[in-house]
Amino acid sequence: MTRQSRTSPAGSERSLHQAYDTALLDLDGVVYAGGHAIAHAVESLAAARADGMHLAYVTNNALRTPEAVAEHLCELGIPTEAGEVITSAQAVARLIAEQVEPGAKVLVIGGEGLRVALRERGLVPVESADEEGLAAVVQGYGGPGLEWGRFAEAAYAVNRGVPWFASNTDLTIPGARGIGPGNGAAVEVVRIATGADPQVAGKPLPPMHRETVLRTGAERPLVVGDRLDTDIEGAFNGDVDSLLVLTGVTDAEQLLRAEPRHRPTYVDRDLRGLLTGQPEVAGRDGAWRCGGWSAVDAGGHLELSRAGDGEADPVDGLRAACAAAWSAAGDGVYRGDVGKALGALGW
């Protein structure tokens, strides 16, 4: 089934960690939130690795270096080498290097991750828009301490015609205290001041997928993420399969209303889904069934019911509801009422 025609989450008789050679894992909202590992992440990843699956950590957060990310993962109990971490800083540095001369000066609006990635490509990070021979401006997440004046510095250069790049445009970023503004919000500040648009490297765009494949050598990758508009759309753009986990920013209603490029191949509660097969979602006479649930679009509203007397996993119910909604929506977005279906799931 192609991404364009997906009308339901897929099933898999084999466990996902055996069906795919490499898991391309998002970090924030999938592996950890803030400084703490998400429930079941550490043991699930350890089991997948022990059984032969390669793990790569793919993040749009350009603030930290791969070494710093790997160190953090090790502290959480997930043994990781720097080479297993791929960041949007690396993707945007490659994108810039392909368009400027070796040794060119690049104005950095962001953190150390950007500076390290630029040096890896033979570029020279600088701090002022007034640098002679400035070849590019690059903007990446700089954390809550990034000074407002840095946005002005970017605007000065961009308004003079210096090419502008952004590691990613995620509007939000999850943390230990909740959801905060991401690099996309900072990019909008410069956009408003200049009227310009940056070249963007991070998920869901092709430069990030290319960087990931180049660095991992994955042949049968599975993208694992929590965001429809970055992780899942990035998998769609790269024509690879995806697993959405419900531990981050995407909620059940957003999933039910997903447009085709935001519909994951698989849906599961958390990273334990890597270690199992995925149940079949079967359709018949307009109704979709998964596990102990049955779902149907009843003329503009979604109906979800228990299909038997046994145990009924709410995630199976969500899978069935997705199939009913996506099938009814076709290539569009489901506009019907989903309130009763979500109530039946307890969401």
Side-chain angles (χ1 to χ4, degrees):
M1 180 181 294
T2 65
R3 301 298 186 283
Q4 289 79 5
S5 62
R6 180 168 298 288
T7 56
S8 73
S12 175
E13 292 185 0
R14 299 176 66 192
S15 66
L16 298 185
H17 78 291
Q18 294 174 335
Y20 299 90
D21 69 340
T22 306
L24 306 180
L25 295 134
D26 183 49
L27 287 171
D28 293 307
V30 175
V31 178
Y32 56 63
H36 303 282
I38 287 173
H40 310 293
V42 174
E43 55 268 39
S44 297
L45 294 173
R49 183 192 288 275
D51 209 21
M53 188 179 214
H54 299 295
L55 306 179
Y57 301 94
V58 186
T59 177
N60 264 357
N61 190 332
L63 176 60
R64 295 187 293 173
T65 65
E67 288 77 10
V69 173
E71 181 179 354
H72 182 202
L73 289 170
C74 288
E75 291 171 350
L76 295 176
I78 304 170
T80 308
E81 298 180 1
E84 296 172 309
V85 178
I86 300 93
T87 73
S88 63
Q90 294 170 323
V92 77
R94 188 186 296 270
L95 187 63
I96 295 169
E98 292 171 344
Q99 299 180 42
V100 303
E101 296 295 326
K105 296 178 181 178
V106 180
L107 173 61
V108 175
I109 312 299
E112 186 62 16
L114 276 177
R115 295 176 178 84
V116 169
L118 290 169
R119 294 188 189 106
E120 182 185 25
R121 292 286 153 214
L123 303 172
V124 179
V126 300
E127 303 302 314
S128 173
D130 297 330
E131 283 278 353
E132 185 177 352
L134 187 64
V137 178
V138 63
Q139 194 169 355
Y141 183 66
L146 188 65
E147 296 180 354
W148 184 260
R150 301 306 297 158
F151 304 141
E153 206 69 26
Y156 300 149
V158 173
N159 277 325
R160 292 204 304 265
V162 177
W164 178 29
F165 297 81
S167 63
N168 68 295
T169 53
D170 296 4
L171 291 174
T172 61
I173 185 169
R177 298 175 60 194
I179 303 298
N183 190 56
V187 166
E188 287 303 309
V189 172
V190 178
R191 194 196 307 270
I192 291 168
T194 63
D197 292 307
Q199 294 186 53
V200 183
K203 297 181 286 186
L205 298 174
M208 188 67 173
H209 183 72
R210 178 184 59 159
E211 190 74 21
T212 300
V213 171
L214 286 172
R215 288 180 180 266
T216 64
E219 296 181 356
R220 301 188 315 279
L222 177 70
V223 170
V224 184
D226 70 310
R227 300 181 69 111
L228 301 181
D229 60 348
T230 54
D231 306 315
I232 306 309
E233 185 176 339
F236 176 93
N237 290 337
D239 198 26
V240 298
D241 289 340
S242 60
L243 166 65
L244 179 81
V245 291
L246 302 171
T247 51
V249 301
T250 298
D251 62 27
E253 181 169 359
Q254 290 170 328
L255 183 58
L256 291 173
R257 300 194 188 280
E259 58 185 291
R261 61 182 177 169
H262 291 167
R263 296 172 187 170
T265 314
Y266 310 106
V267 177
D268 220 313
R269 183 177 282 102
D270 51 50
L271 284 177
R272 289 175 294 180
L274 278 178
L275 306 177
T276 66
Q278 294 289 307
E280 180 184 8
V281 184
R284 183 177 179 181
D285 298 330
W288 294 84
R289 183 165 179 165
C290 183
W293 296 89
S294 179
V296 63
D297 169 57
H301 66 274
L302 202 60
E303 291 186 354
L304 182 65
S305 59
R306 297 278 292 272
D309 296 329
E311 292 186 7
D313 184 345
V315 179
D316 285 341
L318 180 59
R319 294 177 180 120
C322 284
W326 298 352
S327 179
D331 291 336
V333 174
Y334 186 71
R335 304 294 185 186
D337 182 8
V338 300
K340 289 184 178 179
L342 293 177
L345 293 171
W347 275 314

